[in-house]
Amino acid sequence: MTQTTASAPQSTGPRLSRRGFLASASLTAGAFTFGFNMLAPQAVLAQAAAPEVNAWVVIRPDETVTIRIARTEMGQGSLTGLAQLVAEELECDWAQVRFELVNPARNRSRQNVWRDLSTGGSRAIRGSHDYVRRGGATARAMLVQAAANGWGVAPAECSVTKGVIVHAASGRRTTYGAVAVAAAAITPPEQVALKDPKTWTIAGQPLKRLDTLDKLNGSLVYGPDFTLPGMLVAVPRSCPVHGGKLKSFDAAAIASRRGVKQVLRVDDATVAVVADTFWRAKSALDALPIVWDEGGNATASSETIAASLREGLSAEKAYVGNRIGDAKGVLAQAARVIEADYGYPYQNHAPMEILSATVRWSAQRCEMWGPTQVADAALDEMAKAAGLPATACEVHTMRIGGSFGRRLYTDYVRIATLIAKQLPDTPVKMMWTREEDMAQGQYHPVTQCRLRASLDNAGEVQALHMRLSGQSIFAYHAPSRITAEGGDPIVYQGLVAEGAEMALGYTFPHLLVDHAMRNPHVRPGAWRGVNLNQNAVYLECFIDELAHAAGQDPLAFRRKLMARHPKHLAVLEAAAKGIGWDSPAPAGRHRGLAQIMGFGSYVAAAAEVSVTDGKLSIHRIVAATDPGHVVNPQQVETQITGSFVYGLSAMLYGECTVKDGRIEQQNFDTYNVMRLDEMPQVEVITMPSGGFWGGVGEPTIAVAAPAVLNAVFAATGKRVRQLPLKNTPL
């Protein structure tokens, strides 16, 4: 078990831009500038021919080891973790490791040797750990075989340390760089043994990230920074009411503006202005007279959507996600029933890097340079829009400045390609404004939940019924995944039966969890943590309500319900111990707990807050996580800390409201986010128990809000049942 503490720094003094700081730093700090050259950029690596030992490993004569990374890097650090897994089995020198990103065209041309290129659902490491480790182990076996062949000895007589192969009996030595060419010609072994994680020396260590230096010196090119010779910039605008159409626009009104090249109808809902710079395109688009056919959805509002969801709370028809016994029957006969309704709003992903893609189309070939979480899907979307076979298309994947699930969807790729198709042989960078990003999101689905439970005379739960009402992500994006009975299985994340990767951590004699699907016109999407977020709020806040109704300590109450769920209970106990649950809180402070299982990991949080004159201060959060295995403890800790920034920001402020069919929030002035001075001290406890591989990036987001909300109740006696917290006076 490891524990770390992270505190938010306090910001004072004049503001300085990232690039401004880096420019001044490079001029004034010679040692700092020197450090940037220690990690060669990918472009330099690509210029030097080197033998490929196998699909995952390339080794140059100078001993540089390039590890190929297939999964998307969005700032979460999985790139380094995956490289550690390969390097561990390879037995190379970590100081010599570099990386190279794989694109989907290359993967397909090699029969998908790198397998899944997507990153979502915290699957970057947990979904590929086995085969990337085998890639490293296979390369090691081939390199050792090459050395053994040269010496005329058995491979079993040789050992490797940091890329140096030694024949024990004779003392002969060679290096990976010296035998890489010969190794590349060897037939890979069909079976390789993987190391016991207990023996890891590279994996499992808090190593520095491989992808940091070019961010620090400002040389990393993000999607909006990318340029090509002769490139134009397109800024699109789609109907602000989802489902609406583009009726007309007056291109002549802006045709003479400086820099404007074309005004294009992109599809039946989108117009775009193409100019020589972003600002000229945006300014012209702002001045363009546009008439929308908003359709029937223009009458929708937050109030009408909420009314539809409230109707679903008591509807007869619902899809069952988890059932034990006869909860409805027991509740109908119970003498004491506790009931509460909760709600969770639409939320925008709001990544700092806006959506963009640069596309060059010709009648023979189409290429895209841009960030995406789903490179294969982006390639297919681009090929479809380009009217070309996928074999004539290529997506050059880029690292991403935040995504949180937004780039799982390829709508922006389609728009960028349709624009470029109208400007043959000209590279066009399509860029959304922040306002367009807010208006055209794939929002965290809006839901409500009614919870009803019966307590016996001893304060024990007899039955629990959770009725979820709200949107289905699958119904919009993947209707083929809706079950034959009409249900969406991901609605129940954190609430399903034992044995699943998001299993409920409590045992009730009678249980019913069901869902009344209600799908408003606003597009839903996977927002970091997906349905686990609201389900954790609903479940953990209501469990807290039951504990107080029973007159019992919330931790002691949970312990009884969790007796059959030792891993759930272990992280909860660790968080409670870390916060000092069994000792009095400092004067004026109050505590709350929450736990859940999500994305294969067991997570819990304990919060300590105070409320003074109606103002909430979150002082401490202790987070405990059991993901089975930890590849890079430092990255796990920073991911967990960052997840609390995201989760608490959503709890405090995150809300997208609907008026006249459109999202009202247009930028960060109306869609607030957490500031540094609001961030609590976060203490992270990692307690990997082994035997399974869980995710890290998303699970702990879910326990941020309920732990704090339960602490708020302890401080004020008020239940917050509708998020965000800003709407509830304390």
Side-chain angles (χ1 to χ4, degrees):
M1 180 185 297
T2 60
Q3 183 166 345
T4 61
T5 300
S7 300
Q10 298 301 309
S11 177
T12 59
R15 295 178 179 268
L16 185 63
S17 72
R18 167 178 169 267
R19 292 188 185 277
F21 163 76
L22 296 167
S24 62
S26 63
L27 290 172
T28 59
F32 189 53
T33 304
F34 172 78
F36 292 149
N37 296 321
M38 296 177 69
L39 180 63
Q42 290 177 251
V44 174
L45 295 175
Q47 293 174 4
E52 175 189 278
V53 180
N54 64 12
W56 300 98
V57 176
V58 174
I59 300 179
R60 295 168 59 191
D62 67 357
E63 308 301 333
T64 298
V65 177
T66 299
I67 295 176
R68 290 178 175 143
I69 304 297
R71 299 284 186 161
T72 304
E73 173 60 49
M74 299 173 282
Q76 77 276 35
S78 59
L79 181 155
T80 300
L82 289 166
Q84 283 180 259
L85 289 174
V86 175
E88 178 65 56
E89 300 293 343
L90 181 61
E91 287 280 11
C92 66
D93 182 354
W94 179 253
Q96 299 293 335
V97 170
R98 307 294 185 265
F99 70 90
E100 176 183 302
L101 303 182
V102 174
N103 70 48
R106 187 179 185 186
N107 193 34
R108 292 184 185 187
S109 70
R110 295 185 61 173
Q111 292 74 51
N112 294 315
V113 66
W114 290 284
R115 305 195 191 187
D116 191 353
L117 307 187
S118 67
T119 298
S122 295
R123 291 187 179 276
I125 288 177
R126 73 186 181 107
S128 55
H129 64 89
D130 183 75
Y131 59 80
V132 300
R133 293 171 68 197
R134 292 186 186 281
T138 300
R140 182 190 73 232
M142 295 165 68
L143 290 157
V144 171
Q145 181 71 62
N149 289 350
W151 294 329
V153 300
E157 299 175 15
C158 303
S159 62
V160 184
T161 303
K162 291 188 175 182
V164 178
I165 308 169
V166 177
H167 180 236
S170 66
R172 284 177 290 189
R173 304 163 65 90
T174 189
T175 65
Y176 278 174
V179 299
V181 172
I186 290 175
T187 301
E190 294 185 2
Q191 299 292 330
V192 289
L194 299 181
K195 292 184 179 181
D196 185 329
K198 295 177 182 178
T199 68
W200 284 349
T201 59
I202 296 176
Q205 302 303 310
L207 303 180
K208 294 180 180 179
R209 289 173 58 155
L210 296 174
D211 61 335
T212 298
L213 293 180
D214 53 359
K215 296 177 183 178
L216 291 176
N217 68 9
S219 66
L220 176 60
V221 176
Y222 290 101
D225 304 324
F226 185 76
T227 60
L228 286 172
M231 186 183 75
L232 298 176
V233 179
V235 179
R237 182 167 297 162
S238 298
C239 184
V241 177
H242 296 185
K245 306 295 182 184
L246 172 63
K247 190 171 183 180
S248 64
F249 57 90
D250 184 4
I254 63 166
S256 62
R257 293 177 69 103
R258 184 180 180 187
V260 172
K261 303 300 182 182
Q262 289 198 45
V263 184
L264 305 173
R265 178 182 286 271
V266 181
D267 58 21
D268 63 359
T270 307
V271 61
V273 174
V274 183
D276 55 355
T277 70
F278 168 78
W279 186 250
R280 289 172 181 170
K282 178 192 179 299
S283 300
L285 181 63
D286 289 341
L288 178 66
I290 305 173
V291 179
W292 304 109
D293 176 6
E294 297 178 346
N297 293 332
T299 62
S301 66
S302 291
E303 291 73 23
T304 62
I305 292 170
S308 172
L309 269 58
R310 282 195 299 272
E311 178 274 326
L313 293 178
S314 56
E316 287 295 322
K317 184 179 179 181
Y319 173 73
V320 175
N322 194 358
R323 177 160 47 196
I324 299 171
D326 180 18
K328 282 188 175 181
V330 172
L331 287 166
Q333 301 296 322
R336 187 183 184 194
V337 175
I338 311 299
E339 180 175 313
D341 289 356
Y342 282 78
Y344 204 92
Y346 285 118
Q347 293 179 331
N348 195 289
H349 297 84
M352 288 304 295
E353 182 192 348
I354 59 170
L355 296 180
S356 68
T358 299
V359 178
R360 180 168 57 200
W361 182 93
S362 72
Q364 294 77 37
R365 181 169 174 78
C366 188
E367 293 180 271
M368 183 191 98
W369 293 262
T372 171
Q373 288 182 243
V374 283
D376 279 313
L379 177 63
D380 290 336
E381 187 73 44
M382 184 180 72
K384 181 180 178 182
L388 295 169
T391 52
C393 300
E394 187 165 7
V395 170
H396 304 280
T397 54
M398 304 177 72
R399 284 182 279 162
I400 302 174
S403 188
F404 316 116
R406 180 58 183 91
R407 291 178 177 85
L408 289 170
Y409 306 102
T410 55
D411 47 339
Y412 65 101
V413 175
R414 181 183 63 84
I415 290 172
T417 306
L418 291 174
I419 293 171
K421 191 176 181 181
Q422 298 187 55
L423 296 156
D425 302 310
T426 302
V428 181
K429 177 163 62 180
M430 187 283 297
M431 295 179 64
W432 278 11
T433 61
R434 176 64 63 186
E435 289 75 14
E436 189 70 1
D437 180 279
M438 295 294 292
Q440 303 300 330
Q442 310 276 346
Y443 306 89
H444 188 293
V446 62
T447 62
Q448 293 184 19
C449 182
R450 175 166 294 164
L451 302 105
R452 302 180 72 238
S454 60
L455 297 176
D456 63 18
N457 292 334
E460 304 290 335
V461 180
Q462 298 171 311
L464 171 66
H465 179 195
M466 289 184 66
R467 163 60 62 85
L468 302 164
S469 176
Q471 280 187 291
S472 159
I473 296 172
F474 279 175
Y476 190 89
H477 290 287
S480 64
R481 299 182 70 176
I482 296 295
T483 67
E485 297 82 8
D488 178 347
I490 67 168
V491 164
Y492 306 99
Q493 291 177 329
L495 307 175
V496 294
E498 293 183 43
E501 71 169 20
M502 300 202 201
L504 180 68
Y506 301 107
T507 298
F508 302 101
H510 300 272
L511 171 69
L512 176 61
V513 183
D514 56 13
H515 176 228
M517 191 183 297
R518 299 293 184 271
N519 290 315
H521 74 289
V522 177
R523 289 185 294 264
W527 184 102
R528 193 179 186 193
V530 203
N531 293 290
L532 191 72
N533 296 315
Q534 67 266 25
N535 291 346
V537 170
Y538 301 156
L539 176 67
E540 288 301 297
C541 288
F542 190 65
I543 291 290
D544 208 68
E545 293 201 39
L546 295 178
H548 285 280
Q552 299 179 32
D553 173 79
L555 177 58
F557 186 81
R558 285 176 168 85
R559 282 184 180 128
K560 291 184 292 184
L561 295 170
M562 300 174 74
R564 291 177 51 187
H565 307 274
K567 290 188 183 297
H568 289 81
L569 182 56
V571 291
L572 182 63
E573 295 274 15
K577 181 179 179 180
I579 205 75
W581 187 265
D582 292 330
S583 60
R589 296 191 183 186
H590 303 269
R591 294 164 176 161
L593 293 165
Q595 68 79 35
I596 202 82
M597 182 189 184
F599 304 95
S601 291
Y602 302 85
V603 296
E608 189 172 277
V609 311
S610 64
V611 179
T612 305
D613 298 327
K615 178 177 174 57
L616 170 66
S617 296
I618 310 170
H619 301 284
R620 294 175 62 207
I621 287 182
V622 178
T625 300
D626 179 1
H629 294 285
V630 171
V631 175
N632 187 314
Q634 192 271 337
Q635 289 304 305
V636 170
E637 290 154 9
T638 55
Q639 275 290 284
I640 291 171
T641 303
S643 75
F644 278 101
V645 178
Y646 207 66
L648 293 176
S649 191
M651 179 201 72
L652 291 168
Y653 305 116
E655 179 185 34
C656 292
T657 55
V658 180
K659 183 179 180 181
D660 299 327
R662 65 195 71 200
I663 296 294
E664 292 189 275
Q665 291 70 26
Q666 297 187 350
N667 210 315
F668 287 117
D669 59 339
T670 51
Y671 191 76
N672 202 3
V673 295
M674 196 177 208
R675 303 302 198 267
L676 282 173
D677 61 356
E678 298 173 290
M679 186 64 191
Q681 173 183 314
V682 177
E683 301 161 39
V684 177
I685 301 170
T686 54
M687 41 194 301
S689 60
F692 64 96
W693 292 75
V696 171
E698 296 176 88
T700 49
I701 294 176
V703 290
V708 170
L709 294 177
N710 289 336
V712 166
F713 172 79
T716 66
K718 295 180 180 179
R719 288 289 176 191
V720 179
R721 298 191 179 100
Q722 178 68 52
L723 292 181
L725 190 61
K726 68 176 184 178
N727 296 334
T728 303
L730 299 179

